[in-house]
Amino acid sequence: MKDTNVIQVENLTKKFGDFTAVNAITFEVKKGEIFGFLGANGAGKTTAMKMLIGISKPTSGNAKVADFDVFTNSEDIKKNIGYMSQKFALYDDLTVKENITFFGGIYGLSRKKIEEKRCLLVEELGLHNIVNELVGSLPLGWKQKISFSVALLHEPKIVFLDEPTGGVDPITRRQFWEMIYKASNNGTTVFVTTHYMDEAEYCDRVSIMVEGKIEALDTPKKLKEQFKVNSMNDVFLKLARNIE
Amino acid sequence: MSISVKNISKSFKTVNAVKDVSFEVKEGELFGLIGPDGAGKTTIFRILTTLLFADKGTATVAGFDVIEDYKEIRNNVGYMPGRFSLYQDLTVEENLTFFATIFGTTIEENYDLIKDIYVQIEPFKKRRAGQLSGGMKQKLALSCALIHKPKVLFLDEPTTGVDPVSRKEFWEMLKRLQQKGITILVSTPYMDEAALCDRIALIQDGKILQIDDPQEIVKHFPTTIYDIKADNIYKLLLALKEYKHSYSVYPFGEFVHYTDKRDAIDTKELTLFLKDKGLNNIIIQPTETTIEDTFMELAK
């Protein structure tokens, strides 16, 4: 079912006063796709993402996420997506177990289901020794892996990842991407932003935002052909001017 | 030596943040501490800038001891901490004037040094620092760290969270500063930036894994790495991990980096094995070792 669109965006625009942060962007994301959402700092990525996850109302345009309209059904969107960012993910003062229980509860899972999910998670990530530790005491890499799994607890159709691997060591960064591949293989759509250009190569398709507009959108292979360069880093450097 | 660190250790409660670290930075050198969050980079910076005492070991900066001569060090170094170091409620110009004044100098006196960087943010000089974009904050923070013409510049993760275009510009600025005779110690979690330093120390969990120049450091890698590609990268990863001779398997851009337990791989056999796993369009070819490969092998 790779051809079903789970995100459909048409001329989506967000203005703050007379500043247009997101300028009529149009794209769609297919079920199970790993979609890379790239752009320079200040290009409008975060603003666009906020509209898609239902926490910011667009100025104009249309967007459907998991079949729900961002204008009229933003609460339904929130129930059907997972979200994780580098800045906020888990509560440092709760243990790993408490975090899982808390977020499971927030997403409305039954006690039994939470228990089931927790056992599965402990097994898959090898958390046996740290499940009762405070999250604040764990290395960043662990936190990020756990928080990705927590974002998937309620089996959302789409998971949004905002710079999930910033500052993480290279081995953990790769383990993290293996988790992304696995989720995608199970049919979860992954919408991800990153500043690591090698990670852009891991995506099925990549869009690059420049000054509020999507200036390029294709598979990494075709983008490299289009710009006649050998790496996504060079595609990015060719396209993204510094907007300051 | 511009910076000399001998057997420095530092613990916080139960965490051994820095474990017996030694390295030297020559005058005028651009030296990189390369490692992820939690490696101990910031603790080393804080010890060298006299903001923190080490538990063990000694260190000198610009010839001054970090404990005995802390006042001289503070006058002779510039420090740009990882977290935002500016006064959010002061304007761009006020921040710069403030830093110049506490070091007993003026913007005009050392304007030459910061000119390249400062002209880019000068159009916004009446704007409060808190209202600047990430890239502009970074340029202002660097200007403030330079305004007293330091001998040694400490930059703690100046490019973390910054996009590739701004990162490239930032490194070009560093190269120009280096040409003006300033010694630079910079830390970064981005392995691709390591190649831009004169010498680097790879660091993880408070320990230095290796020190060398970027061209040499990859020679410490013990074996040949192969680029492998197929039509489904996730299935390819799983299959390679199952392969009985596999030693390491990591996604690496458009390829998977693979190393074998044996001295040489059997390309035919491996291709057949992968085809058997249902993979198509298989490419297997030797590739060059990167600093990131080296880091991962040493950190294992």
Side-chain angles (χ1 to χ4, degrees), chain A residues 39-41 140 163 167-171 173-174 178 181-182 185 195-198 201-202 224 230 233 236-237 240 242 244, chain B residues 36-37 133 135-136 139 161-169 190-191 204 233-234 237 241 250-254 292 295-296:
Chain A
N41 299 106
L140 180 72
E163 282 184 46
V168 173
D169 72 83
I171 294 180
R173 206 152 70 77
R174 287 174 171 78
E178 287 178 29
Y181 282 132
K182 191 174 174 194
N185 207 52
H195 284 317
Y196 291 98
M197 288 302 120
D198 60 329
E201 308 262 7
Y202 304 155
K224 284 182 277 182
N230 292 322
N233 193 54
F236 193 94
L237 291 180
N242 205 1
E244 282 179 355
Chain B
D37 278 18
S133 74
M136 287 197 278
K139 282 168 190 149
V162 174
D163 69 72
V165 178
S166 309
R167 289 208 278 136
K168 186 165 177 272
E169 286 179 358
Y190 295 102
M191 302 282 154
Q204 175 146 310
I233 190 161
Y234 181 59
L237 285 169
K241 285 188 176 176
Y250 295 117
F252 223 97
E254 64 172 311
E292 193 152 2
F295 188 97
M296 290 194 289

Side-chain angles (χ1 to χ4, degrees), chain A residues 8-239:
Chain A
Q8 206 143 12
V9 178
E10 222 180 282
N11 292 321
L12 195 67
T13 300
K14 178 80 184 186
K15 291 184 182 171
F16 298 105
D18 47 12
F19 174 67
T20 307
V22 175
N23 192 352
I25 58 171
T26 299
F27 65 93
E28 64 275 330
V29 182
K30 297 187 187 82
K31 181 175 177 350
E33 193 172 30
I34 303 175
F35 189 84
F37 198 60
L38 311 186
N41 299 106
K45 296 189 304 283
T46 305
T47 309
M49 206 173 201
K50 278 184 178 168
M51 291 191 278
L52 296 180
I53 63 175
I55 59 172
S56 166
K57 279 261 183 287
T59 310
S60 61
N62 292 303
K64 273 190 168 181
V65 175
D67 278 333
F68 296 107
D69 190 289
V70 292
F71 284 96
T72 53
N73 296 97
S74 58
E75 288 310 308
D76 290 314
I77 290 180
K78 289 176 200 164
K79 285 177 202 152
N80 282 281
I81 61 162
Y83 175 76
M84 142 183 196
S85 86
Q86 191 192 354
K87 289 173 197 87
F88 174 79
L90 302 169
Y91 288 97
D92 275 352
D93 296 334
L94 298 181
T95 64
V96 173
K97 187 177 170 181
E98 287 165 343
N99 265 290
I100 295 172
T101 310
F102 175 79
F103 282 101
I106 290 272
Y107 287 122
L109 302 187
S110 67
R111 273 165 203 267
K112 192 167 157 258
K113 188 83 184 165
I114 293 174
E115 175 73 28
E116 239 177 72
K117 285 272 175 190
R118 195 186 68 228
C119 294
L120 197 71
L121 245 167
V122 167
E123 203 53 49
E124 276 185 7
L125 294 180
L127 303 176
H128 306 87
N129 294 327
I130 56 167
V131 72
N132 290 315
E133 301 273 329
L134 291 183
V135 161
S137 69
L138 300 177
L140 180 72
W142 272 113
K143 282 189 206 172
Q144 297 306 82
K145 282 196 271 186
I146 296 167
S147 103
F148 179 59
S149 306
V150 165
L152 291 174
L153 271 184
H154 57 304
E155 298 169 9
K157 294 192 178 82
I158 310 164
V159 61
F160 288 86
L161 309 173
D162 194 0
E163 282 184 46
T165 55
V168 173
D169 72 83
I171 294 180
T172 310
R173 206 152 70 77
R174 287 174 171 78
Q175 290 168 346
F176 195 91
W177 270 90
E178 287 178 29
M179 292 172 72
I180 291 181
Y181 282 132
K182 191 174 174 194
S184 147
N185 207 52
N186 293 336
T188 311
T189 304
V190 181
F191 188 98
V192 58
T193 73
T194 179
H195 284 317
Y196 291 98
M197 288 302 120
D198 60 329
E199 295 185 350
E201 308 262 7
Y202 304 155
C203 300
D204 292 318
R205 284 190 307 146
V206 168
S207 75
I208 300 180
M209 267 186 98
V210 181
E211 298 185 32
K213 289 185 189 158
I214 290 183
E215 291 290 348
L217 200 176
D218 217 323
T219 62
K221 186 166 180 271
K222 286 195 179 139
L223 286 175
K224 284 182 277 182
E225 284 166 12
Q226 185 188 336
F227 290 91
K228 299 184 178 65
V229 291
N230 292 322
S231 69
M232 281 305 294
N233 193 54
D234 291 341
V235 171
F236 193 94
L237 291 180
K238 270 200 163 179
L239 203 60

Side-chain angles (χ1 to χ4, degrees), chain B residues 11-16:
Chain B
S11 301
F12 301 101
K13 290 181 189 164
T14 55
V15 182
N16 297 322

Side-chain angles (χ1 to χ4, degrees), chain B residues 16-252:
Chain B
N16 297 322
V18 176
K19 301 168 192 163
D20 197 26
V21 161
S22 301
F23 65 91
E24 289 185 325
V25 181
K26 293 174 203 135
E27 219 158 285
E29 195 170 32
L30 176 50
F31 190 95
L33 279 179
I34 317 292
D37 278 18
K41 305 189 300 289
T42 300
T43 305
I44 293 172
F45 274 103
R46 294 178 66 80
I47 290 169
L48 293 178
T49 51
T50 76
L51 301 173
L52 199 62
F53 289 129
D55 298 335
K56 278 183 209 149
T58 56
T60 63
V61 174
F64 300 111
D65 185 89
V66 288
I67 295 168
E68 303 288 319
D69 313 315
Y70 73 97
K71 280 188 179 161
E72 281 83 353
I73 290 184
R74 289 180 188 184
N75 281 325
N76 282 290
V77 307
Y79 176 37
M80 185 173 152
R83 301 271 167 254
F84 190 31
S85 59
L86 303 163
Y87 291 93
Q88 311 275 336
D89 293 336
L90 297 183
T91 66
V92 169
E93 199 175 27
E94 285 165 349
N95 264 292
L96 195 58
T97 308
F98 175 80
F99 281 96
T101 310
I102 53 172
F103 283 108
T105 181
T106 59
I107 298 179
E108 293 72 31
E109 196 174 325
N110 292 320
Y111 190 71
D112 253 12
L113 197 59
I114 61 159
K115 193 180 158 210
D116 278 355
I117 306 155
Y118 190 62
V119 287
Q120 301 174 52
I121 48 173
E122 213 166 13
F124 311 99
K125 65 182 181 186
K126 298 290 178 202
R127 196 182 284 189
R128 287 187 189 190
Q131 309 293 316
L132 297 174
S133 74
M136 287 197 278
K137 280 179 187 169
Q138 183 201 43
K139 282 168 190 149
L140 178 57
L142 182 59
S143 301
C144 291
L146 282 170
I147 195 62
H148 59 297
K149 208 177 180 183
K151 292 196 178 92
V152 184
L153 186 59
F154 292 93
L155 306 169
D156 193 6
E157 297 205 17
T159 56
T160 294
V162 174
D163 69 72
V165 178
S166 309
R167 289 208 278 136
K168 186 165 177 272
E169 286 179 358
F170 193 83
W171 278 88
E172 285 162 3
M173 288 190 283
L174 291 193
K175 288 279 178 194
R176 284 197 294 272
L177 286 174
Q178 190 192 6
Q179 281 158 16
K180 289 175 180 164
I182 297 176
T183 305
I184 302 172
L185 181 67
V186 59
S187 70
T188 178
Y190 295 102
M191 302 282 154
D192 56 339
E193 293 182 344
L196 304 167
C197 300
D198 297 327
R199 280 192 311 141
I200 53 177
L202 303 180
I203 180 168
Q204 175 146 310
D205 294 331
K207 274 188 292 198
I208 289 188
L209 305 169
Q210 195 90 56
I211 301 176
D212 216 326
D213 58 62
Q215 297 77 29
E216 288 298 314
I217 213 155
V218 295
K219 293 183 185 163
H220 297 284
F221 198 83
T223 179
T224 309
I225 298 173
Y226 290 85
D227 270 344
I228 303 186
K229 200 174 174 177
D231 53 350
N232 183 320
I233 190 161
Y234 181 59
K235 281 187 191 156
L236 176 65
L237 285 169
L238 295 181
L240 285 172
K241 285 188 176 176
E242 251 178 65
Y243 186 55
K244 63 180 179 210
H245 300 296
S246 93
Y247 176 70
S248 71
V249 179
Y250 295 117
F252 223 97

Side-chain angles (χ1 to χ4, degrees), chain B residues 263-278:
Chain B
D263 289 337
I265 71 163
D266 185 340
T267 312
K268 257 188 194 160
E269 188 200 79
L270 181 54
T271 309
L272 279 175
F273 173 81
L274 294 176
K275 276 192 176 154
D276 228 35
K277 292 277 170 190

